[in-house]
Amino acid sequence: MGPLGVCFFLLFCLLSASSEGGTIGVNYGRVADNLPSPSSVVQLLKANNITHVKIFDANSEVLNALAGSDIEVTVMVPNQLLQTTATSPSFAALWVQDNVAPYYPLTKIQAIAVGNEIFDDPTNLTSYLVQAMINVQAALVKLDLDNDIKVSTPVALSALQSSYPPSAGAFRTDLAETVMMPMLQFLRKTGSYLMVNVYPFFAYEANANDISLDYALFRPNAGVLDSGSGLTYYNLLDAQVDAVVYAMSALNYDDVPISISETGWPSEGDPNELGADVMNAAAYVGNLISRVQSGTCGTPKRPHCNMDVYLFALFNENQKPGPTSERNYGMFYPNKQKVYDVNFILGNSNSSSSSGNNNGTSNNGGNVRSSSNGNSSETWCIADPSAGKERLQMALDFACGEGGADCTAIQPGAECYEPNTIEAHASYAFNNYYQKNGKGSWNCNFGGAAYVVSQAPKIGKCTLPSSTN
């Protein structure tokens, strides 16, 4: 490699180092009668490099099992305790004393979620939410735990009056001033963050004629222009998150960070639940993980804001009510076998013998494979449009130059020249480089401008190859 190549390589190293990725965690729900013991679950988490978990209560057996594991934990004040927590500061103090203090710091409790999707709770608890958060925070202050443990609450997108286009995002009129403003003020004052539950699956299922599946699953697509902001969105999750960001900005709280406290895709559903299948679940979760870990998880509105993302859910939960999809969001079956195969740390080879996966495949960092698909070992590297045209052009130049990718097919008049866009040409070049160099996730980064996918990308009339043979 000549001096120019060395400089360019170093530039990519610097870009990679400066783009800090967010954190991937999981929601550990237990609405089931067939789940493994908490101690066995902790071993499963560790075997799969899962370092953050959120639970929906403060179960003592779970918290004791997590002690000494270095897994960071978010606990929850259940909805049924919200009114008492809000009206009785002494109860809030007792709850923290009984459910947090005895376990911390051996169990690394990092946050307390006060309730879950309270605005959708049929018992009408909305008026108690902010005061309950304030009382829990006061209890942490008394125990000198407030600097280490944050207080928040998960909010569903139903809190929005409007969400499309993202720049029109606004909170419901019954919530904006009476609940969201004081809540955001509390989060700003305490240095906390807003938890948001975001499910592109629901939007796709309800609007499959208008929303591209590729757009919902982080696959290559033409993008959707927000005419209000002039920003182009290449995936539905970004659009939904930015709708919340714009709603916060309308209240002058656009500085409050966001954590995606729940997101996922079901591996099975009823016949009318469009898109609920194992391949789509694998694609959504795997492509999201790749994106977050590569450091490109900012949104068009907040391009430098790397969010923590908690996947829903760890297990399929057989006692959850509702349609079939509700019982099939898990990444693992209760017997600890994987519903689909995914790594939580890119570039980390993980055999996960405890998962019970006996399909004879191994994990290549960040690659997603469905155990039900005979061609599941195929993966591709594609450009991330959110990296911006300048970074993509630099990466494209490197791949076709010093990187040694065969870019003949994207020359004028060649079979993959159309569409003549930086994103399309970069995807071809990145994929060729990735396939030539052994499909390691480290060969699909390009300074945070690319990520690995498990579904065959098609760009125009050109299908990207899964090998260089």
Side-chain angles (χ1 to χ4, degrees), residues 53 175 212 240 282 302 400 420:
V53 66
L175 297 176
S212 159
Q240 292 179 315
R302 286 184 173 181
C400 293
N420 181 20

Side-chain angles (χ1 to χ4, degrees), residues 147-307:
N147 289 327
D148 301 318
I149 301 174
K150 298 302 179 184
V151 174
S152 187
T153 188
V155 174
L157 291 186
S158 57
L160 297 178
Q161 184 80 33
S162 59
S163 61
Y164 182 82
S167 61
F171 291 114
R172 285 168 23 196
T173 54
D174 62 315
L175 297 176
E177 293 188 6
T178 58
V179 181
M180 293 309 304
M181 283 189 70
M183 182 198 297
L184 291 168
Q185 175 62 25
F186 168 84
L187 297 175
R188 174 190 282 170
K189 181 179 179 181
T190 60
S192 189
Y193 47 88
L194 179 64
M195 296 177 175
V196 184
N197 294 348
V198 188
Y199 286 91
F201 168 73
F202 294 142
Y204 171 76
E205 177 200 18
N207 303 278
N209 290 332
D210 301 315
I211 297 175
S212 159
L213 184 60
D214 288 339
Y215 183 65
L217 298 179
F218 304 96
R219 299 202 297 237
N221 61 88
V224 177
L225 175 67
D226 182 334
S227 58
S229 65
L231 297 173
T232 299
Y233 288 83
Y234 293 95
N235 68 79
L236 183 53
L237 181 72
D238 279 359
Q240 292 179 315
V241 170
D242 270 359
V244 177
V245 174
Y246 276 103
M248 293 165 62
S249 182
L251 300 179
N252 296 314
Y253 287 97
D254 53 357
D255 58 315
V256 175
I258 286 177
S259 168
I260 299 178
S261 43
E262 288 184 29
T263 191
W265 197 283
S267 61
E268 186 179 345
D270 294 322
N272 64 329
E273 294 188 284
L274 296 177
D277 65 51
V278 69
M279 289 306 298
N280 289 340
Y284 180 82
V285 171
N287 292 339
L288 176 57
I289 288 174
S290 295
R291 187 166 180 262
V292 171
Q293 296 287 11
S294 70
T296 56
C297 54
T299 65
K301 174 67 172 171
R302 286 184 173 181
H304 305 297
C305 179
N306 291 316
M307 293 174 291

Side-chain angles (χ1 to χ4, degrees), residues 68-123:
S69 67
D70 283 333
I71 296 171
E72 298 196 17
V73 190
T74 297
V75 299
M76 182 175 289
V77 179
N79 288 9
Q80 61 266 29
L81 298 181
L82 193 76
Q83 182 175 351
T84 308
T85 304
T87 56
S88 173
S90 61
F91 176 84
L94 182 63
W95 190 92
V96 172
Q97 184 68 56
D98 289 346
N99 294 282
V100 176
Y103 307 99
Y104 185 85
L106 192 58
T107 299
K108 297 178 69 173
I109 299 172
Q110 65 163 0
I112 300 173
V114 179
N116 186 51
E117 297 187 346
I118 291 299
F119 307 146
D120 296 329
D121 193 294
T123 56

Side-chain angles (χ1 to χ4, degrees), residues 332-375:
F332 292 89
Y333 297 109
N335 65 0
K336 297 185 290 181
Q337 183 178 11
K338 291 182 179 181
V339 177
Y340 45 83
D341 209 359
V342 62
N343 268 351
F344 286 83
I345 302 295
L346 296 187
N348 182 12
S349 179
N350 173 15
S351 61
S352 296
S353 58
S354 65
S355 71
N357 179 16
N358 297 315
N359 63 1
T361 61
S362 61
N363 293 339
N364 296 317
N367 298 346
V368 183
R369 299 181 301 283
S370 164
S371 59
S372 64
N373 182 359
N375 296 320

